Amino acid sequence: MARNGFFTGLDIGTSSIKVLVAEFVSGEMNVIGVSNVPSTGVKDGIIIDIEAAAEAIKKAVEQAEEKAGMTIDKINVGLPANLLQIEPTQGMIPVPSESKEIKDEDVDSVVKSALTKSITPEREVISLIPEEFIVDGFQGIRDPRGMMGIRLEMRGLIYTGPSTILHNLRKTVERAGISVENIIITPLAMAKSVLNEGEREFGATVIDLGGGQTTVASMRAQELQYTNIYPEGGEYVTKDISKVLKTSMQIAEALKFNFGQANLEEASLSETVQVDVVGSDTPISVSERYLSEIISARVRHILDRVKQDLERGRLLDLPGGIVLVGGGAIMPGVVEVAQEIFGTTVKLHVPNQVGIRNPMFANVISLVEYVGTMSEVDVIAQRAVSGEELLRRKPVDFEPQPQVQPRVVYNNDPVVPANDNLVPQPTQVPPVQKQEESRPKLGERVRGIFGSMFD
C-alpha cells in the first residue's frame, strides 16, 4: 500500500538527468514537479566527474523545486545495474520481549542478523528485500509484527554493489547540496513499476533503451531474476548517423528525431532530406530509406545482443514478453523491429502520469513509485541496511573507476550501408543472474510528439 506524503526521485542518465517530485494521497501518485537537463560528468551510467555531475544535478533539482513550489533537501537516487550482485540471505533471532509479541525492533534485529552474511571488502550492501518471515516454523508471513512467537526468522534477497560506485554516487549528490534518502536499484524499481501483477508473477522482461546504455531486467515470481547493461543506446545511433553522413552530432540528432525510422519497410525511398556535410558548402540529399538503414543497423545490433543473453538465460519465453521503455524506444519502428528479433510479444510502455506521458520518464517515475509504495517492513529493512556501518566501506578519495571484474570486448560491428567505419565499440558489463535458491520461487509514424514537452 502506498504511503501518504511527498517523495522524490533522481535519475542520473548518460544523456540527461531527471528529477521528479510527487505526492501520494490515498494510494494515488500525483506528479507536482519534474525536470530534465542535459547530463555532464556521466558515462555509461557511471559518474566519472563528480564536480560536473553535481552541477547538472543541482540544476535539475532547482528546476524541479521551482515547478513543485517546494524545497528538496533529500532525494531517492537510482543506481544502475553495473556489477550488481543478488544473493539469498536469511537471519534468525529469539523474540526477547516478555510478551513474546513481535515488534518493529525485532524485525530490525532479524534483518541485521541477515546482514552478517560475508561481503567482500570492495562491495557494499545496497538493499535487502524480505521475501518471507517465519514465526516458530510457520512460513509465508509477510509482516510478522503483532504476532506472538519465540523464534523469528527471515528469508530475503540481498543486493550488493561496488563500494567505489556507491561512494561516488553519494558524494556527487551531496556535493549538489542534497542528502541521499535511499539508493534504489533502478532495474528493480523499473520492473516493479512497468510490469503489471501478472507479468511480475509469471515473468516478463523490461528493456530500457537509454541514451548511453541499454538496461535489461527480467522479473518472475515477483523477484528480479536477471539484469544486464549494454553500453550502447540512442547516442550511438546518433554517432552512426554523424559518422556515415559526415555531419555534426547536432544535425545527426535532428535527423534521428525528425526523420528517424528503425523499420526499413516503413521508410520512404522517394522522400529525401538535405544534410549539411562537414568540409563541404553543398548539402547532400539523403533518402529516408538510407537514413533508416543506418538507424536500423544499430538498433538491430543492440537487440540481437540482448536476445542472445536472454536465450542463454532461458528468459526469452516468459509469458509477459518484452516491454520497451526509454527515450530510444520512442523512435518509430523500434517496436516492430523488436518483435521481429525476439519473436515474442513486444509493447511500448507509456507512463500514465499527466504531463509526462513519455517513455523517457519511465525510469524516474519508477524510482518515486518504488519508494512511495514500500511497505512498513521494507522501510524497516532499508533503514537497517543504511545503519549497518560495518558494511559501508567508503573510499577516502575519488579515483577513476577500477576494473572490479574482467570485461569482455566484443568486435561484432553492425553492418551499415557505407564503407565508413562506425565509432569504436564499447566494452560489455557482465550481467547479473539471480542465484537460484533450493526452494521454488508497443502504421503511420508520428514525429516530434515529445520534443517540446518541457521547453
Side-chain angles (χ1 to χ4, degrees), residues 190-231:
M190 176 69 76
K192 286 194 171 184
S193 173
V194 170
L195 303 179
N196 59 40
E197 182 70 22
E199 291 167 338
R200 291 194 298 268
E201 180 63 37
F202 291 100
T205 297
V206 180
I207 302 179
D208 179 13
L209 295 169
Q213 61 186 19
T214 297
T215 303
V216 179
S218 296
M219 178 170 275
R220 179 171 51 194
Q222 304 291 338
E223 296 176 3
L224 185 64
Q225 299 286 329
Y226 168 88
T227 183
N228 195 8
I229 286 181
Y230 303 82

Side-chain angles (χ1 to χ4, degrees), residues 71 83 143 147 165 218 254 413:
T71 300
L83 304 178
D143 187 349
M147 296 182 178
I165 292 178
S218 296
D413 294 339

Side-chain angles (χ1 to χ4, degrees), residues 57-260:
I57 293 172
K58 185 176 181 180
K59 183 178 179 180
V61 170
E62 289 173 347
Q63 290 186 10
E65 287 178 330
E66 182 179 355
K67 293 179 180 179
M70 61 182 292
T71 300
I72 299 173
D73 53 10
K74 57 184 179 180
I75 202 163
N76 298 284
V77 189
L79 180 74
N82 301 65
L83 304 178
L84 179 70
Q85 288 183 2
I86 311 171
E87 303 175 39
T89 189
Q90 61 183 44
M92 181 184 71
I93 62 164
V95 180
S97 65
E98 294 184 3
S99 67
K100 297 304 177 184
E101 181 176 326
I102 299 171
K103 303 177 181 179
D104 289 1
E105 295 81 359
D106 301 315
V107 174
D108 177 82
S109 296
V110 76
V111 170
K112 287 181 177 178
S113 72
L115 289 171
T116 59
K117 184 181 182 70
S118 178
I119 305 297
T120 55
E122 73 277 4
R123 302 192 69 80
E124 175 182 335
V125 176
I126 307 167
S127 181
L128 189 152
I129 310 296
E131 292 186 299
E132 69 168 346
F133 291 89
I134 304 171
V135 179
D136 294 346
F138 293 94
Q139 301 180 359
I141 300 171
R142 300 298 299 175
D143 187 349
R145 295 173 304 162
M147 296 182 178
M148 292 184 64
I150 298 174
R151 186 182 65 205
L152 175 63
E153 301 174 67
M154 186 216 68
R155 293 174 181 167
L157 295 176
I158 195 169
Y159 296 78
T160 67
S163 296
T164 305
I165 292 178
L166 290 161
H167 166 76
N168 296 334
L169 181 61
R170 292 191 190 96
K171 185 174 182 180
T172 303
V173 176
E174 290 167 359
R175 189 70 61 87
I178 311 295
S179 63
V180 177
E181 183 174 13
N182 290 295
I183 293 180
I184 307 300
I185 300 167
T186 299
L188 177 61
M190 176 69 76
K192 286 194 171 184
S193 173
V194 170
L195 303 179
N196 59 40
E197 182 70 22
E199 291 167 338
R200 291 194 298 268
E201 180 63 37
F202 291 100
T205 297
V206 180
I207 302 179
D208 179 13
L209 295 169
Q213 61 186 19
T214 297
T215 303
V216 179
S218 296
M219 178 170 275
R220 179 171 51 194
Q222 304 291 338
E223 296 176 3
L224 185 64
Q225 299 286 329
Y226 168 88
T227 183
N228 195 8
I229 286 181
Y230 303 82
E232 295 177 85
E235 288 186 357
Y236 286 81
V237 175
T238 305
K239 291 177 182 178
D240 290 349
I241 296 172
S242 174
K243 185 71 174 180
V244 174
L245 299 184
K246 297 180 176 62
T247 190
S248 68
M249 288 288 290
Q250 292 81 4
I251 293 177
E253 181 70 16
L255 288 171
K256 181 184 74 174
F257 186 81
N258 294 309
F259 304 97

Side-chain angles (χ1 to χ4, degrees), residues 17 23 38 40 50 96 103 125 133 141 145 150 177 179 207 243 285 307 314 376 382 411 439-440:
I17 293 178
E23 181 183 14
T40 56
I50 288 180
K103 303 177 181 179
V125 176
F133 291 89
I141 300 171
R145 295 173 304 162
I150 298 174
S179 63
I207 302 179
K243 185 71 174 180
S285 180
K307 178 185 178 181
R314 299 180 179 179
E376 292 184 2
Q382 191 60 40
N411 296 309
R439 50 191 187 85

